[in-house]
Amino acid sequence: MDKMSQLLKLLEKTDYIEINEFRMDFEELELQLMPAVQKVVQQAVTKQAAVQETMKKMEAIEFTPPIKDYPGEVAQVQLGAGSRKPVYLGGQQALYRFEEPQPNPPVVTFDVFDIPMPGLPRPIREHFADVMEHPGDWAKKAVKDFGANMVTIHLIGTGPKVMDKTPRQAAEDIEEVLQAVDVPLVVGGSGDPKKDPIILEAAAAAAEDERCLLASANLDLDYKKVAKAAVDYNHAVLSWAITDINMQKTLNKYLMKEGLTQKDIVMDPTTCALGYGIEFSIDVITRTRLAALKGDKDLQMPMSSGTTNAWGSREAWMKNDAWGPTDYRGPIWEIITGLTMMLCGVDIFMMLHPLSVQLLSEIGSTFTKEYLTTDSPDISNWITELE
Amino acid sequence: MQVTAMDIYRLLPQTNCEDCDAPACGEASCMAFATKLSEKESQLGLCTELSEESFTKLEALLAPAVREITIGTDDKAITIGGDEVLYRYELTYYNPTALVIDIADNLDDAEFAERVKNIEETEFERIGEMLTLDAIALRNASGDAVKFAETASKLKNAKLPLILCSFDPVAMKAALEKVGNERPLIYAVNEANMDEMAALALEYDCPISIFSPNDLEKMKQISRTLREKGVQDIVLDPGTFVGEGIGDSLDDFVMIRRLAVEERDDDFRFPILGIPALTWIHEKDEVQGGIKEATIAATLMNKYADVLILHGTNIWELIPVLTLRQGIYTDPRKPQAVDPGVYEFGEVGKDSPVLMTTNFALTFYTVEGDIKGKTTAYLLVLDTEGRAVDVSLAGGQLNAEAVADLIKETGIEDKVDTRTLIIPGLSAPASGEIEDESGWEVLVGPRDSSGVPGFLEDLKGKS
């Protein structure tokens, strides 16, 4: 290409040539330029002037982030005391991080069972097959290998139709797990409304002053007994209602009448899994968190999600070649279920798969950072960089 | 803020079309029409009594907080935006997030054809609905304008609308010369190419996206400038930062939507675009990448993304994203229930088995999908006010008396000679009471209805 064609090519693609700096050159050139080029140069000059004017106008437009004031705040609940490293939930005074970063990152508590649980999906079992006989080893693996912030020990074996373990045996299982790890515990029953309060009471006594979360109190069982066990032995209580904000308020009120305070209660508004009514949970959890920030004292507690429910979804576990391997579907189902709840305001997640826990924790940890304080990669050339 | 029926009523003629038996709007009164309009269940154009001035005022009043934008034409068109609220429980979210897959303009012919076919044929059936992808994003990966235009022409025959991705106005112009009449989304305008890109959007009457990563001030400035030039259909891309930066992206998305809905800031009243595909710039492992990309997609979809450009096409990655979209975009105002009663599957006869489930739509369609064409049975559907089996059992809608009534009301006793009812596995605790109340023998079926055909086979073997 000769010089002229090069210049033409250059001008044709350029908006921003610094005409001023090159004026001398252009004047010299001008004498030899073809009329067409002169036109291009003139156009470029006019364009440049227009662009400058646009820029000036643009700079006059300022952006103010849409930040709100909230009259209420979520109570901060401490889990773990005594020989446990404490974990804190809640404490939010705003809805989003650009308004005010969350004081505490979301917490993941790993599900551990007091019996080997043959029914667990294969992608989970394969990670824990070697430790399922001993809840202590299971808990240790969850914490050491998979970075769990907490452990939930489900005393499934106490179920009258399972192994009908006695309160004494339940207490022994709790002691085993307490010895094995130094993270806080959630203690869950078998789901039997008659026996759970008795089991939780025995577990609470065995873990006195360790500040566990007793799971759970609901309106279908003797919640007074659960509340009393928490007050007597210094624990917190999971207040569980089924996707019903009024039921949740009522239960919280009842629990507070029994001597618990906002700082002793974590709510479980029920997590319906992805594809199985997750939208109901989205609505209830969103409304609950908004109510708390607006000042409703009966709902100003942190929230928990039984994210493990995701594994009940057939897309998570059912073998079906047209859907791809369950090895991948299962974890994604759990992550998206938990993540969706997290974005609505949930603070603590009961989960099963190591990869789900890792990804959820990664996103959750960004919530405590200030807006635009993370080094972000340059993505301005993504159109060509993506392979 | 959402417009109330009263705000609308004030501007309506308030004549209630007294002299007319059949008002054009089809409502009994102007107030009823106003209510329908506020809930977006009727059209302003139906009213024949409006003055031009009132029409203009009402049109502005009724314009959704987020502008509705169409990409593509005719049967190859999708609509995005249109939302009015920040939380779906307040009204509903309109126009499900468009899921778009990228395609590079430098693939060889066979790869290209294969990928297009893959995008077009991806489908997943869930509770009576076929879930599919919505558009193709052609990337000017070659950096070559001619190549970009040639590849765009190849997509003329594709079944889905297009997004043209290039920051180079020369390449964009070349592509628009080929497919500009099909109303592709122009992606994207930035500070450097603003004037040329805006001119192209106006010349070809195409929607255009602003790319302003992590800079909402610049976004606002570009948006204002475009609007002043007369561009109306704008899409906003504040950048998608995967990894640690996702916190910033979430903030950007939320701020944009809050400004649109709560502050009615005209520079931000547009749909938002996210690009989970960016996951793949740093992640090369197909499984890790797929799981991460789906995670980013779910994050942004939960917080207001109207368009998402994805790169992965593995079905296991797309199923959860499609499912999340289906859930978020159901209308909370409509009960998710089907009619209770008796449903027949296959050539039923006097000795066909009788199954029972609840009228929660999710439950019903799941069961239907599992037994249709696979087995022959009667299905009794109990009115649980649209609650699932376990929830209605806990809440008391599923109880022995209700089941006994259902058996009577459906007349199933005249249709079959048998007196055996198969109930869902999750309702096992009620089995005894149902037997007592109905006088039928009760069998507890599988916990998941996918096991029903096998369960019925086993029963046949036993009898």
Side-chain angles (χ1 to χ4, degrees):
Chain A
M1 243 191 308
D2 62 22
K3 283 237 158 58
M4 196 57 72
S5 315
Q6 276 179 13
L7 182 65
L8 271 169
K9 183 101 186 139
L10 199 73
L11 289 173
E12 156 190 304
K13 278 202 165 187
T14 314
D15 277 350
Y16 297 101
I17 45 169
E18 294 281 350
I19 302 268
N20 291 337
E21 278 188 42
F22 291 96
R23 177 167 297 169
M24 285 309 289
D25 294 344
F26 270 112
E27 275 175 358
E28 281 165 23
L29 270 171
E30 216 175 315
L31 301 171
Q32 306 160 31
L33 286 178
M34 295 173 288
V37 178
Q38 282 189 25
K39 208 172 147 200
V40 172
V41 172
Q42 267 170 7
Q43 276 174 352
V45 173
T46 324
K47 228 178 194 178
Q48 175 74 2
V51 167
Q52 270 175 356
E53 194 171 318
T54 313
M55 294 304 218
K56 227 160 106 195
K57 259 204 217 158
M58 276 175 61
E59 273 156 26
I61 302 168
E62 276 179 32
F63 172 76
T64 317
I67 291 171
K68 280 204 213 170
D69 276 333
Y70 302 89
E73 68 181 280
V74 179
Q76 180 167 285
V77 171
Q78 177 183 344
L79 297 178
S83 61
R84 316 282 99 197
K85 280 188 290 195
V87 158
Y88 298 91
L89 307 177
Q92 293 88 345
Q93 299 187 18
L95 205 51
Y96 293 111
R97 169 188 111 125
F98 61 84
E99 301 177 299
E100 185 172 296
Q102 284 194 14
N104 301 300
V107 168
V108 177
T109 171
F110 232 96
D111 282 338
V112 166
F113 301 83
D114 66 337
I115 56 169
M117 289 300 280
L120 280 184
R122 187 187 47 78
I124 309 292
R125 240 177 348 173
E126 67 187 18
H127 288 287
F128 297 101
D130 54 330
V131 292
M132 289 171 81
E133 291 292 333
H134 302 284
D137 294 344
W138 196 340
K140 202 181 274 177
K141 188 163 190 180
V143 173
K144 280 221 166 121
D145 294 3
F146 302 127
N149 310 111
M150 290 182 56
V151 165
T152 299
I153 169 78
H154 294 278
L155 299 166
I156 296 292
T158 63
K161 286 178 190 162
V162 189
M163 285 172 69
D164 206 18
K165 283 191 190 179
T166 63
R168 179 66 239 157
Q169 284 171 302
E172 281 165 16
D173 286 332
I174 295 299
E175 274 158 19
E176 184 187 328
V177 178
L178 285 171
Q179 289 295 323
V181 293
D182 63 356
V183 296
L185 304 190
V186 180
V187 180
S190 68
D192 185 88
K194 287 211 176 65
K195 201 164 170 189
D196 273 3
I198 302 163
I199 294 297
L200 290 178
E201 185 185 38
E208 182 165 11
D209 285 330
E210 298 285 318
R211 193 95 184 135
C212 300
L213 179 62
L214 305 181
S216 58
N218 63 64
L219 290 170
D220 288 335
L221 51 68
D222 186 357
Y223 64 82
K224 288 186 185 179
K225 198 178 192 70
V226 180
K228 184 170 187 307
V231 172
D232 288 352
Y233 302 110
N234 185 23
H235 299 295
V237 168
L238 190 70
S239 163
W240 173 40
I242 300 173
T243 57
D244 182 334
I245 204 163
N246 292 318
M247 190 198 286
Q248 187 77 65
K249 270 180 79 118
T250 306
L251 179 59
N252 292 350
K253 267 188 195 157
Y254 287 174
L255 290 174
M256 290 196 278
K257 255 190 216 156
E258 299 303 313
L260 295 168
T261 69
Q262 280 184 339
K263 294 183 168 197
D264 304 313
I265 297 174
V266 177
M267 299 182 282
D268 180 358
T270 303
T271 294
C272 305
L274 173 64
Y276 295 83
I278 197 166
E279 56 276 17
F280 297 107
S281 293
I282 290 174
D283 292 352
V284 169
I285 289 168
T286 304
R287 288 173 59 201
T288 303
R289 177 52 46 90
L290 281 169
L293 292 173
K294 283 181 185 159
D296 187 333
K297 298 216 176 308
D298 297 329
L299 293 170
Q300 288 177 332
M301 298 83 166
M303 287 183 278
S304 168
S305 158
T307 313
T308 319
N309 288 348
W311 289 93
S313 305
R314 55 173 60 185
E315 292 86 349
W317 59 264
M318 192 186 283
K319 201 173 145 30
N320 180 338
D321 291 340
W323 294 353
T326 49
D327 285 356
Y328 317 148
R329 277 191 264 133
I332 305 186
W333 221 262
E334 191 179 24
I335 295 167
I336 294 186
T337 299
L339 184 68
T340 302
M341 298 295 98
M342 186 163 86
L343 295 167
C344 298
V346 166
D347 304 88
I348 177 168
F349 301 83
M350 301 191 182
M351 297 181 79
L352 267 170
H353 196 282
L355 185 61
S356 317
V357 170
Q358 185 205 327
L359 285 185
L360 194 82
S361 304
E362 278 173 17
I363 293 186
S365 70
T366 72
F367 286 16
T368 55
K369 305 212 169 92
E370 299 253 357
Y371 177 50
L372 296 185
T373 55
T374 310
D375 283 335
S376 290
D378 179 10
I379 57 169
S380 56
N381 292 318
W382 77 267
I383 292 174
T384 47
E385 279 170 8
L386 192 62
E387 277 173 20
Chain B
M1 291 295 119
Q2 209 192 321
V3 178
T4 66
M6 209 54 216
D7 298 331
I8 299 166
Y9 180 71
R10 281 191 204 105
L11 290 164
L12 287 174
Q14 304 179 13
T15 56
N16 294 336
C17 294
E18 280 159 352
D19 304 329
C20 178
D21 293 337
C25 67
E27 301 302 327
S29 66
C30 288
M31 193 62 212
F33 184 49
T35 307
K36 281 276 169 74
L37 284 174
S38 74
E39 285 168 0
K40 299 203 175 296
E41 286 176 347
S42 192
Q43 309 281 333
L44 183 60
L46 291 176
C47 181
T48 49
E49 306 270 299
L50 277 174
S51 68
E52 206 178 306
E53 193 199 342
S54 301
F55 185 87
T56 313
K57 274 191 191 161
L58 272 166
E59 202 178 28
L61 189 67
L62 288 169
V66 178
R67 186 175 172 82
E68 269 193 342
I69 288 173
T70 302
I71 303 171
T73 49
D74 305 323
D75 56 338
K76 264 169 71 167
I78 51 169
T79 303
I80 55 171
D83 281 335
E84 291 283 10
V85 294
L86 288 176
Y87 310 109
R88 68 185 285 288
Y89 74 84
E90 296 174 294
L91 177 63
T92 184
Y93 288 158
Y94 294 100
N95 298 322
T97 309
L99 295 175
V100 185
I101 303 283
D102 87 298
I103 189 161
D105 68 351
N106 55 3
L107 295 179
D108 68 43
D109 284 353
E111 279 178 307
F112 188 84
E114 176 65 29
R115 193 163 167 86
V116 172
K117 187 165 167 271
N118 197 346
I119 299 167
E120 288 174 341
E121 290 180 1
T122 293
E123 57 178 30
F124 171 58
E125 193 183 345
R126 201 156 193 293
I127 49 168
E129 195 184 342
M130 192 58 84
L131 310 180
T132 56
L133 300 170
D134 304 284
I136 300 174
L138 176 66
R139 264 190 308 121
N140 187 200
S142 66
D144 182 89
V146 177
K147 187 136 204 161
F148 191 50
E150 276 171 7
T151 330
S153 314
K154 279 204 269 179
L155 288 171
K156 255 186 171 315
N157 298 323
K159 293 184 190 127
L160 300 172
L162 287 184
I163 298 179
L164 297 174
C165 304
S166 176
F167 295 119
D168 174 9
V170 176
M172 191 57 72
K173 187 171 174 53
L176 285 170
E177 276 166 9
K178 306 285 186 190
V179 295
N181 60 340
E182 295 185 14
R183 207 173 156 75
L185 170 63
I186 297 174
Y187 181 100
V189 59
N190 56 27
E191 220 181 349
N193 66 20
M194 199 162 55
D195 292 324
E196 291 100 321
M197 286 293 199
L200 288 172
L202 289 169
E203 183 184 344
Y204 288 94
D205 188 24
C206 290
I208 189 164
S209 177
I210 298 173
F211 177 60
S212 178
N214 266 351
D215 191 341
L216 294 188
E217 181 158 21
K218 184 113 304 160
M219 172 89 76
K220 187 173 172 64
Q221 292 166 352
I222 299 178
S223 173
R224 177 80 58 88
T225 311
L226 289 180
R227 296 198 305 114
E228 279 169 0
K229 286 174 188 285
V231 179
Q232 292 188 313
D233 290 340
I234 298 172
V235 175
L236 308 173
D237 175 10
T240 297
F241 292 93
V242 301
E244 285 231 332
I246 190 66
D248 289 335
S249 297
L250 265 177
D251 282 345
D252 290 333
F253 275 55
V254 171
M255 278 193 261
I256 290 175
R257 190 48 45 90
R258 191 179 265 189
L259 286 162
V261 171
E262 294 192 328
E263 317 218 346
R264 294 263 164 175
D265 182 330
D266 286 332
D267 296 323
F268 288 106
R269 288 175 63 183
F270 298 106
I272 313 176
L273 179 146
I275 312 180
L278 287 163
T279 307
W280 300 93
I281 289 185
H282 301 290
E283 178 61 64
K284 300 300 171 202
D285 182 84
E286 195 180 358
V287 174
Q288 285 279 331
I291 294 176
K292 283 184 186 163
E293 184 179 37
T295 306
I296 297 294
T299 305
L300 300 181
M301 196 193 287
N302 265 301
K303 289 296 168 196
Y304 312 127
D306 298 285
V307 190
L308 289 173
I309 300 179
L310 303 162
H311 183 68
T313 54
N314 282 312
I315 191 70
W316 53 262
E317 174 189 344
L318 295 172
I319 285 177
V321 179
L322 289 163
T323 304
L324 179 65
R325 180 176 70 177
Q326 190 185 31
I328 291 177
Y329 285 89
T330 51
D331 189 340
R333 296 168 298 173
K334 294 197 180 105
Q336 294 186 28
V338 298
D339 291 336
V342 59
Y343 292 75
E344 296 175 2
F345 294 92
E347 296 285 317
V348 285
K350 284 278 183 191
D351 54 356
S352 294
V354 182
L355 307 164
M356 191 204 89
T357 191
T358 76
N359 78 328
F360 180 36
L362 281 167
T363 308
F364 175 81
Y365 286 116
T366 306
V367 177
E368 184 195 48
D370 285 331
I371 61 178
K372 200 175 184 173
K374 292 171 195 148
T375 193
T376 301
Y378 285 103
L379 178 65
L380 301 186
V381 176
L382 183 70
D383 184 2
T384 56
E385 295 158 32
R387 288 176 171 84
V389 175
D390 46 352
V391 181
S392 59
L393 188 69
Q397 294 83 12
L398 195 171
N399 63 64
E401 205 177 320
V403 176
D405 287 348
L406 179 68
I407 288 173
K408 289 220 174 58
E409 286 160 14
T410 53
I412 188 72
E413 296 194 319
D414 300 331
K415 293 183 178 165
V416 293
D417 296 332
T418 55
R419 291 291 180 263
T420 304
L421 180 69
I422 300 161
I423 64 170
L426 290 170
S427 60
S431 61
E433 286 169 30
I434 296 175
E435 282 200 337
D436 294 346
E437 194 73 35
S438 65
W440 277 44
E441 184 195 356
V442 171
L443 288 182
V444 176
R447 286 173 68 89
D448 188 289
S449 59
S450 60
V452 167
F455 181 85
L456 295 179
E457 275 306 304
D458 288 352
L459 272 188
K460 266 191 217 158
K462 277 177 202 157
S463 62

